[in-house]
Amino acid sequence: MRRTLTGSAAIAAILIATLAARADTDMEARTNASRTVIKAFAGSLQAELKGAMKASGPLGAIEVCSEKAPEIAGRHSEENGWKVGRTSLKYRNPGNAPDEWELRVLQSFEDRKAAGEDPATMDHAEFVDQNGKPVFRYMKAIPTAEVCLNCHGGDNVKPEVEAKLAELYPDDMARGFKVGDIRGAFTIIQPAE
């Protein structure tokens, strides 16, 4: 026997279905907007790093990461009304240490990489409660490229680079990476409303 919903049960079912469809659409729109902002942030940062590497080598790149990267993230944050940044399991700047949610996502990225997924395609988005308020969070993995090893590699980091890193980041953990490792992630927090 087929049962049909009537009255308030039918209205509730329609409302739940409508809200679920709206949430899926909102998730997709927010994820796509986040990808666009991260692409712009990464592009700006990469252009600065390439210019610095060409002009001053790895020492110039260190300056970009320590001074210009926070400015670029701040600009994208201000333009969008979101918090835009970078984080890592092995961070260099203590200000980029992952919060609990970022730590969980970074660990899931490592699990996905171990299962064979390409870090260049990894991202994650979800709505979460943060300090009693709903927010949308997004992360995009940053794969380690060959050029990154000048400052983030193991034994191949030059002595002058080692000295500058030790001066700027005495508690540096961002070492020992190989090409293809997950260097960290770009991260976004958007208000849910």
Side-chain angles (χ1 to χ4, degrees), residues 1-117:
M1 176 163 82
R2 188 168 196 211
R3 207 173 138 191
T4 58
L5 297 175
T6 60
S8 61
I11 293 170
I14 292 169
L15 181 60
I16 289 169
T18 302
L19 290 174
R22 186 176 297 150
D24 287 345
T25 301
D26 192 34
M27 175 71 84
E28 184 178 344
R30 286 175 180 269
T31 299
N32 288 335
S34 295
R35 287 177 178 146
T36 299
V37 170
I38 292 303
K39 185 175 182 179
F41 176 29
S44 298
L45 183 56
Q46 188 174 43
E48 290 282 348
L49 285 168
K50 282 183 179 179
M53 283 293 289
K54 188 174 183 179
S56 308
L59 292 175
I62 293 170
E63 184 178 320
V64 167
C65 284
S66 68
E67 295 175 18
K68 299 232 180 191
E71 291 173 10
I72 295 168
R75 186 175 70 240
H76 287 284
S77 295
E78 190 174 314
E79 287 173 2
N80 294 284
W82 306 342
K83 182 179 178 197
V84 178
R86 298 175 300 156
T87 190
S88 180
L89 292 173
K90 293 169 47 176
Y91 54 88
R92 179 160 279 161
N93 179 343
N96 292 340
D99 63 23
E100 189 176 312
W101 183 86
E102 291 167 333
L103 181 62
R104 182 176 54 81
V105 174
L106 286 165
Q107 289 169 335
S108 78
F109 285 170
E110 290 294 343
D111 292 343
R112 290 164 61 184
K113 181 182 180 294
E117 190 173 342

Side-chain angles (χ1 to χ4, degrees), residues 175-190:
R175 302 291 185 88
F177 288 95
K178 297 182 298 289
V179 171
D181 285 348
I182 297 172
R183 170 61 198 94
F186 295 107
T187 183
I188 286 180
I189 302 173
Q190 298 180 25

